[in-house]
Amino acid sequence: MRFSLLPVIVLLMPILEIAGFIVVGKALGVWLTLALILLTSFLGLVILRSGGLGMVRNLQNASRTGAEPAEAMINGGMRVIAGILLFIPGFITDAIGLLLLIPGFRKLIWKAIGPRIVVASSFRGQGFRPGPQRDASSKVVDLDEDDFHREGSGHSPWSQNRDDRDLPKP
């Protein structure tokens, strides 16, 4: 069985954050510590708002130029994660969030995880057409009017021509 550090980190983070509150509170005072927490939370909200819109803009630019969107997506995702970490009260999460805002640090992370990321697309040929993709081997059955007929009454069960006025309307 493989050992994972993630549960240990999740359990230790609240304890480390409380210890961080105590250390910073003793050094700066209660009111300045609370002001710092509110300031970083507000900064996190601003970054979340601009980061999400910036990520969409970068993805559009990457698709327009034909570039691979993986780096733009990971870069924007790291900015969004930075905003979330800054919004969460705590000085350790704030430090990690501020590190993720530094472009050089994001490039370092991209160099570490970039080779492991594979982007799969459903683009065929030059253009992208939304909807189901049909290849040349698919068979189309062309029916004449005489070849097709309905079984039963000829009315759709959802038709308004039925006498269903006594049934409750959805």
Side-chain angles (χ1 to χ4, degrees):
M1 188 167 147
R2 192 173 147 194
F3 178 72
S4 176
L5 286 177
L6 188 63
V8 175
I9 292 171
V10 169
L11 290 174
L12 285 179
M13 275 308 281
I15 297 168
L16 294 174
E17 290 290 2
I18 291 170
F21 286 137
I22 293 170
V23 169
V24 173
K26 282 185 178 181
L28 298 179
V30 174
W31 295 111
L32 196 56
T33 303
L34 289 175
L36 194 57
I37 291 169
L38 290 175
L39 178 73
T40 57
S41 293
F42 179 73
L43 180 67
L45 285 176
V46 170
I47 290 170
L48 271 175
R49 182 179 171 122
S50 67
L53 295 175
M55 183 170 66
V56 170
R57 199 174 315 116
N58 291 341
L59 285 173
Q60 287 174 343
N61 289 338
S63 67
R64 200 172 316 129
T65 60
E68 200 170 286
E71 186 174 4
M73 199 162 56
I74 295 296
N75 199 5
M78 283 191 274
R79 284 197 328 250
V80 168
I81 290 171
I84 292 170
L85 288 174
L86 284 169
F87 180 71
I88 296 172
F91 294 109
I92 296 171
T93 55
D94 289 347
I96 297 169
L98 288 173
L99 276 175
L100 286 176
L101 289 178
I102 301 170
F105 188 75
R106 287 196 308 259
K107 285 199 180 287
L108 183 70
I109 292 176
W110 172 248
K111 284 183 182 178
I113 66 171
R116 298 180 185 154
I117 294 177
V118 177
V119 177
S121 66
S122 64
F123 298 122
R124 296 186 182 184
Q126 295 286 7
F128 173 72
R129 292 181 192 95
Q133 300 293 324
R134 188 178 292 163
D135 55 351
S137 65
S138 66
K139 301 203 186 240
V140 176
V141 178
D142 190 18
L143 296 176
D144 292 329
E145 290 181 22
D146 300 334
D147 295 337
F148 178 75
H149 65 280
R150 290 183 189 255
E151 299 287 332
S153 65
H155 292 288
S156 169
W158 297 278
S159 172
Q160 295 297 327
N161 297 336
R162 293 183 336 148
D163 191 20
D164 59 357
R165 288 180 222 116
D166 57 335
L167 295 176
K169 298 289 180 196

